[in-house]
């Protein structure tokens, strides 16, 4: 997946988020926001020890700008799969604790995320 494809994947997620917000689908809104955040976090560039000392820079100073890490198709698919697995694992834990309501919420979230595995 090229950068353009990865941007189009994010565009689809954000469009779906807006639709879910308009339709007041709380579970879908929460799930999509979480997935978008996970992608943002995965694109963050590691800073290592470069921020040990704070140095003041003017707003927009290009010397401190670093392009975000590009994610390929396999990276995005792996991220979605990991989010689904985490929810399924947590749902199973809740079932064992007798919290079928919370388990169902997590299962519903996993199903929402599953729609994006083909993207």
């Amino acid at each position: 997946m090229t950068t353009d494809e990865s941007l189009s994947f994010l565009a689809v997620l954000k469009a779906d988020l807006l639709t879910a917000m308009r339709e007041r689908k709380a579970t879908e809104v929460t799930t999509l926001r979480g997935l978008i955040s996970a992608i943002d976090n995965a694109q963050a560039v590691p800073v290592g020890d470069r921020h040990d000392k704070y140095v003041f820079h003017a707003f927009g100073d290009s010397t401190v700008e670093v392009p975000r890490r590009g994610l390929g198709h396999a990276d995005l698919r792996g991220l979605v799969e990991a989010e689904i697995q985490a929810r399924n694992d947590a749902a199973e834990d809740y079932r064992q604790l007798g919290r079928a309501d919370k388990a169902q919420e997590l299962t519903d979230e996993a199903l929402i995320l599953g729609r994006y595995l083909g993207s």
Side-chain angles (χ1 to χ4, degrees), residues 49-114:
D49 61 355
R50 291 183 289 190
H51 290 289
D52 287 342
K53 280 181 108 179
Y54 181 76
V55 178
F56 179 78
H57 292 279
F59 179 75
D61 184 351
S62 63
T63 62
V64 296
E65 295 297 318
V66 178
R68 301 204 38 98
R69 206 168 68 88
L71 297 177
H73 181 73
D75 297 321
L76 290 169
R77 183 174 182 79
L79 200 137
V80 173
E81 288 173 347
E83 291 290 315
I84 290 170
Q85 187 63 49
R87 282 167 175 80
N88 286 334
D89 291 347
E92 185 56 36
D93 290 344
Y94 275 111
R95 275 188 204 90
Q96 291 177 3
L97 294 171
R99 292 288 315 269
D101 56 328
K102 187 64 178 166
Q104 187 59 51
E105 285 178 33
L106 291 164
T107 301
D108 292 345
E109 289 181 15
L111 290 172
I112 291 167
L113 292 171

Side-chain angles (χ1 to χ4, degrees), residues 3-64:
T3 302
D4 290 338
E5 289 173 307
S6 128
L7 289 175
S8 85
F9 181 69
L10 275 172
V12 167
L13 289 176
K14 289 177 181 180
D16 290 352
L17 174 61
L18 285 175
T19 300
M21 290 169 73
R22 284 188 195 112
E23 295 175 2
R24 300 185 189 275
K25 296 179 177 177
T27 301
E28 195 160 334
V29 168
T30 302
T31 304
L32 292 175
R33 282 183 174 159
L35 180 57
I36 291 168
S37 294
I39 291 170
D40 270 350
N41 288 341
Q43 289 177 325
V45 178
V47 294
D49 61 355
R50 291 183 289 190
H51 290 289
D52 287 342
K53 280 181 108 179
Y54 181 76
V55 178
F56 179 78
H57 292 279
F59 179 75
D61 184 351
S62 63
T63 62
V64 296

